[in-house]
Amino acid sequence: DPMKSKTKSVGLVLAGALAGILVSVGLTALAQRSQRATLPLDELRQFSDVFGAIKANYVDAVEDKKLISEAISGMLSGLDPHSAFLDAKAFKEMQLNTSGQFGGIGIEIGVEDGFIKVISPIEDTPAERAGIRAADLIVKIGERPAKGISTTEAVELMRGKPGTSLTITVSRKGEPAPRVFTLERAVIKVQSVRSKMIEPGFAYTRITQFQEQTLPSLAKHLDQLASQGPLKGLVLDLRNDPGGLLQGALGVSAAFLPPKVLVTSTDGRNADARRRYNADPNDYARHGDDPIGQLPAVYKSVPMVVLVNAGSASASEIVAGALQDHKRATIIGTQTFGKGSVQTILPLSSTTAIKLTTARYYTPSGRSIQAKGITPDILVDEYADGDLSHLRVREADLKGHLGDANKPGSGGSTQGSSGSSTQTERKSGEDSAAAERGKSLTAEQINERLRNRKPVVFGSPEDWQLQQAMNHLKGRPVAKPASTQTAAARSDRIVD
């Protein structure tokens, strides 16, 4: 999973909601163009020859449908890491992910030492009502032993039609015998927004992904926070948020920006790929509703920090870039993922589609994010003892990734079939500083540090980056990176 640390396999799956990068920034269903491209006859004859050779000589019989589907998949996957053929299963999965609801039992799961572990039950779901707890280890799903299976397999086994039953067996620490739960699946709504008051006057809001319900949910949370007393500061947490719907990114940005200002622009080969998107209900609101239209005025001016890391991608980077360019918020954390391309969903039928990269997007000042990411205003490591974020895979590490276009309208260039990343892309900005600090550690020291580290619980009292965000909002010094030598070289980025 390119969005996670190479060293930790615990992820947010929500019993089937999300696994991996949610690469769609723009999710717009468009009719295929009536104008057909001229087909290259010689190449099509070659394709026909290969097709015939496989049908006649392959060791096993192969269905025509499989060969054609695989050919289409290869044609798209060879373009860049985010273009893809969506068969019936993948198309449905994408629709479920972006709608934010599915049929399941309602648990967040991960993998730990080969076991499927419950990270937490989701509030008001069959799993929570039945008494399933965080840290329970799932031993069996139905009659299928769960040890050694992937989270994706576990998700597929637990997801199902609302109203159907599922039996799972769990092992709980301190209890000698496993517990068996028989649950009735229900419609599970993923809560993409969470919030709390850290202390009087200081609010914390986390967005885990950008879905259809993210904007109305954010509006509800912000109203509740404002009702608890005068606000002195707000932290918007976009760490490990892999993105989602463009409209969500526009709306979240608009909640904090002046009306009508530019949020992002896109540039591509075709006219409909060249657009400007503003903090305007005409761009972010669906079905005529404006969920953030009546937000308290304080959200246009309250001091604000946005937390980002290497797992913040696509829609997250649009929000961070817009708030940074308009000087509305201070960006704190580490270099973001660098996914600055827009994918458009082009239906082929009622059940299949292609997801095609059609444009690059830019911040309001015209900065390209592709293969670079957002550089924080203040670099803060994920842990007090240093940062290993340079070990995480980013966009520039993906085979066949798009290159950066120098400016809107330039057309840019791609990496070509080799997909090799360049040092200027992979090690740009603050990411190069993280890499330099990491070089001072041996492999043994890195492994030892990883073994002794617990995963960050975002929003907890132990959350180091959040502690520094609070320091900044209160006008206190923000901790320098672990390597003082690197910090001194970039003292302009550090608040003392």
Side-chain angles (χ1 to χ4, degrees), residues 149 156 177 203 274 276 281 310 331 337 341 368 390 421 483 487 489-490:
I149 70 172
E156 291 179 351
R274 296 189 287 272
R276 293 169 63 86
I331 313 300
F337 184 77
S341 61
S368 172
H390 65 286
S421 63
S483 169
R490 299 196 57 81

Side-chain angles (χ1 to χ4, degrees), residues 126 210 309:
F210 289 81
N309 66 0

Side-chain angles (χ1 to χ4, degrees), residues 359-412:
R360 292 175 177 85
Y361 67 77
Y362 300 83
T363 70
S365 66
R367 291 181 294 154
S368 172
I369 295 170
Q370 178 59 24
K372 293 181 177 179
I374 296 293
T375 299
D377 297 307
I378 304 174
L379 172 64
V380 172
D381 293 334
E382 292 185 339
Y383 295 85
D385 64 349
D387 191 274
L388 297 174
S389 66
H390 65 286
L391 297 176
R392 301 181 73 171
V393 176
R394 289 181 168 89
E395 176 77 11
D397 297 313
L398 302 182
K399 183 179 181 180
H401 71 272
L402 288 178
D404 170 39
N406 294 327
K407 59 182 179 179
S410 68

Side-chain angles (χ1 to χ4, degrees), residues 47-60:
F47 175 83
S48 178
D49 291 342
V50 173
F51 183 90
I54 294 171
K55 292 289 291 182
N57 301 302
Y58 188 66
V59 62
D60 295 320

Side-chain angles (χ1 to χ4, degrees), residues 20-233:
I21 302 177
L22 201 64
V23 294
S24 297
V25 175
L27 187 68
T28 310
L30 301 175
Q32 290 195 54
R33 302 178 188 280
S34 58
Q35 182 180 358
R36 298 278 182 175
T38 303
L39 296 176
L41 296 181
D42 290 342
E43 285 76 10
L44 286 176
R45 289 192 188 97
Q46 186 179 46
F47 175 83
S48 178
D49 291 342
V50 173
F51 183 90
I54 294 171
K55 292 289 291 182
N57 301 302
Y58 188 66
V59 62
D60 295 320
V62 187
E63 293 182 357
D64 292 353
K65 183 178 180 180
K66 174 178 172 58
L67 288 175
I68 297 297
S69 293
E70 294 289 348
I72 295 172
S73 295
M75 182 164 37
L76 286 155
S77 63
L79 297 173
D80 67 81
H82 306 304
S83 294
F85 172 60
L86 304 179
D87 60 16
K89 182 178 179 181
F91 194 22
K92 185 176 180 181
E93 181 82 11
M94 182 210 66
Q95 292 169 319
L96 287 171
N97 283 340
T98 55
S99 69
Q101 61 183 41
F102 55 92
I105 59 174
I107 55 175
E108 298 178 14
I109 63 173
V111 176
E112 187 171 285
D113 298 327
F115 290 94
I116 299 295
K117 182 179 181 179
V118 177
I119 296 175
S120 69
I122 300 172
E123 185 179 352
D124 193 28
T125 62
E128 186 200 44
R129 290 191 289 268
I132 292 176
R133 299 178 186 173
D136 284 349
L137 296 178
I138 299 177
V139 179
K140 293 174 70 176
I141 304 173
E143 295 301 315
R144 171 83 178 272
K147 181 173 171 55
I149 70 172
S150 67
T151 54
T152 302
E153 291 176 290
V155 161
E156 291 179 351
L157 292 169
M158 287 188 285
R159 180 183 288 174
K161 185 177 180 181
T164 58
S165 63
L166 172 68
T167 299
I168 65 170
T169 306
V170 306
S171 174
R172 184 169 293 169
K173 187 177 182 180
E175 296 186 359
R179 292 191 177 211
V180 179
F181 296 87
T182 300
L183 310 169
E184 184 177 291
R185 294 182 179 95
V187 174
I188 307 299
K189 294 184 178 181
V190 180
Q191 299 301 315
S192 65
V193 181
R194 298 171 184 175
S195 68
K196 64 179 180 179
M197 295 299 294
I198 299 176
E199 59 184 74
F202 293 91
Y204 171 84
T205 300
R206 172 162 171 73
I207 300 177
T208 59
Q209 53 186 300
F210 289 81
Q211 302 173 324
E212 290 177 1
Q213 295 304 311
T214 295
L215 197 54
S217 180
L218 177 67
K220 180 180 177 181
H221 280 264
L222 293 179
D223 277 332
Q224 290 174 344
L225 292 170
S227 70
Q228 298 180 46
L231 286 178
K232 301 176 184 177

Side-chain angles (χ1 to χ4, degrees), residues 276-400:
R276 293 169 63 86
Y277 296 92
N278 302 313
D280 187 327
N282 291 324
D283 285 338
Y284 65 76
R286 290 173 175 268
H287 314 300
D289 297 326
D290 182 7
I292 63 170
Q294 302 302 316
L295 276 180
V298 66
Y299 289 111
K300 300 295 185 182
S301 59
V302 64
M304 188 174 174
V305 165
V306 178
L307 287 174
V308 297
N309 66 0
S312 306
S314 71
S316 298
E317 294 172 296
I318 286 177
V319 174
L323 296 179
Q324 185 179 53
D325 278 6
H326 288 294
K327 301 187 184 330
R328 175 63 190 88
T330 301
I331 313 300
I332 290 179
T334 57
Q335 193 82 11
T336 62
F337 184 77
K339 183 187 176 294
S341 61
V342 180
Q343 281 67 49
T344 300
I345 305 303
L346 302 171
L348 301 178
S349 69
S350 60
T351 58
T352 62
I354 63 173
K355 180 174 62 174
L356 190 65
T357 300
T358 54
R360 292 175 177 85
Y361 67 77
Y362 300 83
T363 70
S365 66
R367 291 181 294 154
S368 172
I369 295 170
Q370 178 59 24
K372 293 181 177 179
I374 296 293
T375 299
D377 297 307
I378 304 174
L379 172 64
V380 172
D381 293 334
E382 292 185 339
Y383 295 85
D385 64 349
D387 191 274
L388 297 174
S389 66
H390 65 286
L391 297 176
R392 301 181 73 171
V393 176
R394 289 181 168 89
E395 176 77 11
D397 297 313
L398 302 182
K399 183 179 181 180

